[in-house]
Amino acid sequence: MSANEYIQRLFGAEDEVLQAVRQSIIDREMPTISVSPEVGTYLTMLVKMSGAQSVLEIGALGGYSGICLARGMSEDGKLTSLELEVEYAQLAHQNLIGAGFGGRVIYRVGEALVSLQQLEAEGEKFDLFFIDADKGNYVNYFEWALKLANPGALILADNVLWGGRVYDQENQEESTQMLRAFNEKIASDDRVESMLLPIGDGLSVSRVK
Ligand SMILES: C[S@@+](CC[C@H](N)C(=O)[O-])C[C@H]1O[C@@H](n2cnc3c(N)ncnc32)[C@H](O)[C@@H]1O
């Protein structure tokens, strides 16, 4: 058994709500790339521990991570979720409503980089960011998160181990190189303090100074 399997066995129990979300994604033949259960559990904890009230998610898919983030917020918390595909955003919204968070989430459909510009123009600020969309834009999303961050905000990103490819020096695929660049950036950027946790497919946690 790997460390990851051990962790998932102990800390990755999914309740019926999250199981139903995974099933709804399978039923619609959408990609089965939601966060792993243990990352979902940890997202809820990080929102709770940080006391984040305004959360921005980049990449909604079917709402699995959205529910995990919303579960950590207090009743007046607000989740803004950016998603490219209208059908995905609709399913995510349906699933958030089913989980009891319909009134606390707003979906913005389209290219996340465009939505981020709009959020800046509207003067929106956030306490916690969860980056989980196209890997080639992780560095751009990180820079946007810094612009939209309240002091002390957390910036989280999923898939930063990329199935182990980031530390396989023979792997030079573009997506791998982009994620390597992201990891190197958060490790050395003086504006944040960061750590990479080897849970799921790798979760990075950066705290804005
Ligand atoms: C890994 S999935 C998100 C999974 C979700 N965070 C979860 O764990 O439940 C990535 C999502 O990002 C969306 N996406 C990809 N490129 C995007 C872009 N340029 N702008 C906005 N969303 C994008 C995809 O449509 C997909 O739904």
Side-chain angles (χ1 to χ4, degrees), residues 21 25 30-31 33-36 43 57-66 82-85 88 108 110-113 115 130-135 137-138 141 158-159:
V21 172
I25 290 167
M30 287 163 53
I33 49 173
S34 307
V35 290
S36 64
L43 291 179
E57 172 182 65
I58 306 177
L61 192 67
Y64 190 104
S65 57
L82 312 184
E83 174 52 53
L84 185 62
E85 306 289 344
Y88 295 2
R108 290 184 178 234
E111 281 288 345
L113 289 174
S115 299
F130 179 51
I131 300 171
D132 190 19
D134 46 323
K135 309 309 163 195
N137 270 317
Y138 267 36
Y141 294 147
D158 194 34
N159 305 114

Side-chain angles (χ1 to χ4, degrees), residues 98-128:
F101 299 114
R104 290 190 232 166
V105 62
I106 292 170
Y107 287 92
R108 290 184 178 234
V109 177
E111 281 288 345
L113 289 174
V114 174
S115 299
L116 288 161
Q117 277 173 19
Q118 290 165 352
L119 288 167
E120 186 192 33
E122 292 164 22
E124 293 277 355
K125 293 280 181 188
F126 299 90
D127 301 322
L128 186 142

